[in-house]
Amino acid sequence: MSELPFWKTKSLAEMSREEWESLCDGCGKCCLQKLEDEDEGDVYYTRVVCRYMTDRCRCSIYEHRQREVPNCVWLTPKDVDQFFWLPQTCAYRLIAEGKDLPEWHHLNSGDANRIHAVDASVLAMALVRDDAVPEEEWEDYIIDNL
Ligand code: SF4
Ligand code: SF4
């Protein structure tokens, strides 16, 4: 009998640190700047990206990112009820909503580059760095929900 993988048997709160970290698919979508409609609470993604993202969708300051970027996203199991604003493909949001991981996710496919091949990351997007565009202009870069 085959054993079910951890993301099908454990809640986010039950996962070990390694399991939790391994869920991140490296899509880079949460590093895009977002705008919030304060009246409605809606969140809009832009193609303005954090200046610390590398051209392979990775964070260049991962270990001390919260010091450099105070509003950098730091997901924890405690915040599960806030995950609605995450991209629809985000593994944390999918698991929080009781869904499975997509076939291209590295935990299913065994291939960390497959996400780019199926265009589920920001790799091929026309991004602009957040230090290249004044914040008051970010509205011009709003994209459809991810
Ligand atoms: S959106 Fe989710 S899966 Fe994608 S990089 Fe951010 S935390 Fe990881
Ligand atoms: S500092 Fe935060 S938002 Fe910026 S690239 Fe790193 S993880 Fe993404």
Side-chain angles (χ1 to χ4, degrees), residues 23-30 75 86-87 90-92:
L23 279 181
C24 180
D25 59 27
C27 70
K29 293 174 180 172
C30 61
L75 303 177
L86 284 166
C90 175
Y92 298 98

Side-chain angles (χ1 to χ4, degrees), residues 6-7 10-26 62 65 73-81 83 86 90-93 95-96 101 105-107:
F6 72 88
W7 66 90
K10 293 184 178 183
S11 68
L12 288 169
E14 291 168 335
M15 292 179 188
S16 69
R17 186 178 162 81
E18 289 72 28
E19 289 168 341
W20 173 271
E21 292 284 331
S22 73
L23 279 181
C24 180
D25 59 27
Y62 191 75
R65 62 196 190 282
V73 175
W74 189 297
L75 303 177
T76 73
K78 283 198 314 298
D79 307 321
V80 165
D81 56 350
F83 285 4
L86 284 166
C90 175
Y92 298 98
R93 177 172 170 178
I95 301 297
L101 299 178
H105 191 283
H106 60 274
L107 291 176

Side-chain angles (χ1 to χ4, degrees), residues 1 14 38 47 55 68 71 80 91-92 98 114 130 134 141:
M1 204 170 69
E14 291 168 335
E38 285 176 8
R47 55 186 181 83
D55 57 7
E68 303 286 339
N71 66 351
V80 165
Y92 298 98
R114 184 148 172 72
D130 61 5
Y141 293 84

Side-chain angles (χ1 to χ4, degrees), residues 31-33 46-50 127-130 133 138 141:
C31 301
L32 299 179
Q33 296 292 354
T46 73
R47 55 186 181 83
V48 180
V49 68
C50 173
L127 302 175
V128 291
R129 282 168 51 124
D130 61 5
V133 186
W138 289 359
Y141 293 84

Side-chain angles (χ1 to χ4, degrees), residues 28 30-34 49-54 58-62 64-66 68-69 71-73 130:
C30 61
C31 301
L32 299 179
Q33 296 292 354
K34 297 160 273 296
V49 68
C50 173
R51 68 198 68 178
Y52 295 110
M53 179 187 271
T54 71
R58 292 291 170 184
C59 178
S60 60
I61 55 162
Y62 191 75
H64 53 281
R65 62 196 190 282
Q66 286 233 302
E68 303 286 339
V69 183
N71 66 351
C72 173
V73 175
D130 61 5

